[in-house]
Amino acid sequence: MSRIAYFGPQGTFTEQAARTLTADDELLPVETIPAALAAVRKGEADAACVPVENSVEGPVTATLDGLAEQELLVAVAEALLPVHFSVLARTDDAPIRTVASHPHALAQVRQWLEVNLPDARPVAAASTAAAAVAVQEGEFDAAVTAPVAAEHYPLRVLATEVADVRDARTRFLLLRPPGTLPEPTGASSSAIVAAAANRTGTLAELLTELATRGINLTRLDARPTKGNFGEYLFFMDFEGHISEPRIGDALAALRRRCSGLRFLGSHPRADRVAATIQTGASNDDFTGAVDWVAAVRRGELA
């Protein structure tokens, strides 16, 4: 049985995602995203389930930073969950003056709160479940939580299916140390983080390496390097699997152009949408970079 660390405590959307990504594995709640990643790196857990992006609020920066720093972890699976909230309160009928939740959650129910609890003050918490714990302990009056929180905490359900954007979704990743990757499915996704020089045309050059090989970019985010001002790391998700020649060829080209390139895994897409394959892929050979791609495929990259 594997141990899966997840962004907790119990009762978060991440717990729901971890349940969908694992079978009979032991789930280990931890208080922060960095703590979930650290548990894997220290050998205290076999994998970590963390959120990576939300369709309303965008990227989860703690996850992006955690993937770019320290020992490499790679994604081997993903889950895509609809995000509808429950609002929980203490079992008494005390007035609701404060409503706590994770900032991403509060942003996604802002309009609902203005209409239904106009006198309540929103308060940021470490997670949706941490907000529920705080309500249970009397620190706040109500919490905006994942529906699963009602299973863990003896609180009164004020409302369910709460969301300003009805089709909002959050994507979660299951991360493990480098090793054997899932087999290609025809509906796979790959991810990298690239460090490139701060000069005119750098990002365009990187994107061109994908476009000229008919590779569809599905996500692009930038995070500061935390070193020199104005220098960024580029996080890219794109259709395809590292085992495909066009993907390997593109990564070899990117490796040659970048001052640093970290492969973050290939895995089946949660939406099962098949990759868009175009013709005209290049087969240019870049000495050294090709060897790096081969090492990635063998699971030898540290």
Side-chain angles (χ1 to χ4, degrees):
M1 177 185 294
S2 296
R3 301 188 76 200
I4 310 300
Y6 71 90
F7 176 34
Q10 288 183 314
T12 59
F13 281 102
T14 313
E15 180 188 359
Q16 291 185 217
R19 289 182 180 184
T20 69
L21 291 171
T22 61
D24 299 324
D25 295 325
E26 178 185 357
L27 298 184
L28 175 67
V30 296
E31 293 187 358
T32 66
I33 290 172
L37 304 182
V40 181
R41 289 173 171 138
K42 295 176 181 178
E44 297 170 354
D46 301 292
C49 182
V50 293
V52 66
E53 64 173 328
N54 174 264
S55 61
V56 176
E57 290 299 299
V60 180
T61 56
T63 297
L64 297 187
D65 291 345
L67 289 173
E69 301 166 353
Q70 303 181 49
E71 294 87 355
L72 177 65
L73 297 176
V74 297
V76 295
E78 68 176 25
L80 196 60
L81 294 187
V83 180
H84 296 154
F85 298 92
S86 294
V87 180
L88 308 182
R90 294 193 300 274
T91 54
D92 56 35
D93 292 325
I96 306 299
R97 295 188 177 91
T98 53
V99 180
S101 194
H102 188 276
H104 276 202
L106 290 173
Q108 293 178 73
V109 299
R110 185 182 296 113
Q111 296 176 20
W112 188 93
L113 292 175
E114 290 175 354
V115 171
N116 295 276
L117 295 172
D119 298 325
R121 175 172 58 91
V123 182
S127 68
T128 58
V133 172
V135 171
Q136 184 178 340
E137 294 175 348
E139 185 176 351
F140 304 115
D141 300 319
V144 177
T145 72
V148 70
E151 300 177 15
H152 297 294
Y153 306 104
L155 298 172
R156 178 166 53 105
V157 179
L158 294 182
T160 58
E161 295 294 311
V162 174
D164 293 344
V165 179
R166 301 307 302 174
D167 59 350
R169 297 183 295 176
T170 297
R171 188 164 69 99
F172 300 83
L173 297 178
L174 186 66
L175 301 164
R176 295 184 182 274
T180 303
L181 293 170
E183 294 294 323
T185 64
S188 295
S189 178
S190 294
I192 58 171
V193 55
N198 181 15
R199 59 175 175 78
T200 302
T202 292
L203 180 57
E205 292 172 358
L206 302 186
L207 298 180
T208 297
E209 297 293 358
L210 300 178
T212 57
R213 292 165 175 83
I215 299 170
N216 183 35
L217 183 73
T218 56
R219 184 174 68 94
L220 174 63
D221 291 304
R223 292 287 294 155
T225 61
K226 303 179 183 179
N228 295 326
F229 184 80
E231 292 186 355
Y232 291 86
L233 298 174
F234 297 106
F235 292 81
M236 302 181 191
D237 287 7
F238 45 86
E239 294 177 347
H241 192 279
I242 184 65
S243 64
E244 299 175 41
R246 68 188 182 117
I247 302 299
D249 187 55
L251 292 187
L254 291 171
R255 175 74 170 181
R256 180 173 176 264
R257 289 188 181 276
C258 296
S259 57
L261 187 67
R262 178 172 274 199
F263 174 69
L264 299 178
S266 292
H267 58 270
R269 290 179 56 169
D271 56 15
R272 308 302 181 194
V273 175
T276 303
I277 299 177
Q278 302 176 10
T279 59
S282 169
N283 288 309
D284 294 339
D285 181 17
F286 298 99
T287 303
V290 171
D291 294 337
W292 177 83
V293 170
V296 168
R297 287 175 171 157
R298 294 192 299 268
E300 297 174 359
L301 187 63

